[in-house]
Amino acid sequence: MQRDRAASRVQDSREVDYLRDEVAARVADRLLDIKRRYHTVVEIGAGCGHLAKYVDDDMMDRLVMYEMAKVPLERDAGKEYQVDVQRHQGDEESLEFEPESVDAVVSSLSMHWVNDLPGMLIRIRKALVPDGVFIGAMIGGDSLFELRTSLQLADLDRDGGIAARVSPLTNTRDVGSLLNRAGLTLSTIDIDNIVVNYPSMLHLVSDINAMGEGNAVVQRLPLIKRDTLLAASAIYKEMHGNEDGSVPATFQIIYMIGWKPDPSQPQPLPRGSGEVSLGNMFDSTSHKL
């Protein structure tokens, strides 16, 4: 509902595409780094088509935009892209693809909405062809630490306690375990911090809501009092503000790559098959030094 409501305000939602567009471009770069051409690539949680802006027919034949929310999926339906784009409305947690039918699956800034991440990754692995790749980017647990701390301090000062103001996010150390649990191998994980400057905390909160990324915790408070919000804004500026009067917001992006197992992939040698002792190598090096 949040994503549908946000995308229904078409002009406002396009003005806040900057974060999703930037991350989608970086995901496309990672897909391009893999020197192969794909027949079918599926984007899970495609939103309004951010990845489609950065891929072309040298990379793939077809991009399937798979999205649960209908309004963002159809927001830019009339836009032309450099690849054949097909839109499919469906639940990210119950993917509707035949086993071993997809060359690559990508997900850009939608996985933090998924309740059953291990289950979704297992279904992705089943849909991939052998040696198929999954590339994902998700909001990390250290994102918006400036906003979190400011709201917590304001809540403590005004109400004597801390409320759940920001949706929970995944920690970096858990991502590798999720990929391994899903049966994806040769995993690679890296992190980017994207810092965006805003005129004030209130402008940041406004953009988050326009993105459809507001707090989705079921037991959240229905509203935040005006004096608490103003106090948080003042704390934010005092603790984190820039010299020019703006305030920074840090978005931690966790990128992950995992492969469906295939005999053609590099395999570790059996234990004990080494012919050179590392201990002897280090000893000889230390003597030379």
Side-chain angles (χ1 to χ4, degrees):
M1 289 181 61
Q2 287 185 214
R3 287 185 285 180
D4 277 332
R5 187 166 54 247
S8 65
R9 299 187 289 270
V10 176
Q11 189 57 40
D12 290 343
S13 68
R14 283 177 177 157
E15 289 178 359
V16 294
D17 277 347
Y18 52 85
L19 181 63
R20 288 195 180 97
D21 283 349
E22 176 62 29
V23 175
R26 300 186 187 194
V27 170
D29 283 343
R30 284 163 171 78
L31 191 62
L32 189 60
D33 287 339
I34 302 171
K35 304 303 181 183
R36 62 174 66 173
R37 190 176 186 279
Y38 304 95
H39 174 62
T40 301
V41 176
V42 174
E43 182 185 9
I44 305 298
C48 301
H50 308 281
L51 181 69
K53 302 174 184 178
Y54 301 101
V55 297
D56 55 40
D57 55 9
D58 289 333
M59 300 170 63
M60 65 189 70
D61 293 326
R62 178 178 61 164
L63 176 66
V64 179
M65 293 171 50
Y66 195 98
E67 168 64 48
M68 182 171 62
K70 181 178 180 179
V71 178
L73 184 65
E74 300 294 338
R75 191 195 74 177
D76 295 332
K79 186 177 178 63
E80 294 186 0
Y81 300 101
Q82 297 184 54
V83 296
D84 176 29
V85 172
Q86 298 182 5
R87 291 172 169 80
H88 182 92
Q89 186 180 3
D91 189 349
E92 294 97 329
E93 297 187 33
S94 56
L95 301 179
E96 302 168 359
F97 294 98
E98 294 294 325
E100 300 188 356
S101 63
V102 179
D103 298 319
V105 176
V106 298
S107 178
S108 180
L109 295 193
S110 69
M111 294 173 66
H112 59 285
W113 284 105
V114 176
N115 294 312
D116 182 17
L117 270 177
M120 187 193 78
L121 290 172
I122 289 172
R123 282 183 281 275
I124 287 173
R125 191 250 305 159
K126 291 179 178 179
L128 285 169
V129 299
D131 201 34
V133 65
F134 166 70
I135 302 177
M138 68 186 302
I139 299 287
D142 290 337
S143 294
L144 299 176
F145 70 88
E146 305 97 339
L147 178 62
R148 292 170 182 267
T149 54
S150 301
L151 288 171
Q152 288 171 357
L153 291 172
D155 278 331
L156 282 171
D157 182 61
R158 292 297 189 270
D159 301 318
I162 297 176
R165 304 290 187 189
V166 181
S167 299
L169 298 169
T170 302
N171 290 318
T172 308
R173 61 179 177 271
D174 297 329
V175 174
S177 299
L178 287 170
L179 294 175
N180 291 333
R181 182 177 173 184
L184 295 168
T185 61
L186 303 176
S187 57
T188 304
I189 301 167
D190 63 290
I191 301 171
D192 270 347
N193 285 325
I194 299 177
V195 180
V196 182
N197 292 317
Y198 294 88
S200 72
M201 189 199 82
L202 301 180
H203 289 83
L204 165 62
V205 172
S206 176
D207 275 17
I208 291 174
N209 289 327
M211 293 177 188
E213 296 291 345
N215 188 1
V217 176
V218 174
Q219 296 180 340
R220 68 187 183 276
L221 295 177
L223 52 85
I224 180 172
K225 294 188 293 186
R226 179 181 176 84
D227 63 331
T228 303
L229 189 63
L230 293 176
S233 182
I235 293 170
Y236 199 126
K237 187 172 184 178
E238 178 65 26
M239 291 182 61
H240 307 290
N242 298 317
E243 292 183 358
D244 62 0
S246 63
V247 296
T250 302
F251 297 90
Q252 182 192 57
I253 312 298
I254 305 173
Y255 299 91
M256 65 202 79
I257 301 177
W259 298 80
K260 182 166 182 174
D262 184 74
S264 66
Q265 294 170 348
Q267 303 293 328
L269 293 174
R271 185 177 179 86
S273 61
E275 298 179 357
V276 178
S277 169
L278 287 177
N280 292 338
M281 290 180 62
F282 289 137
D283 287 343
S284 61
T285 303
S286 62
H287 290 319
K288 292 179 181 180
L289 293 176

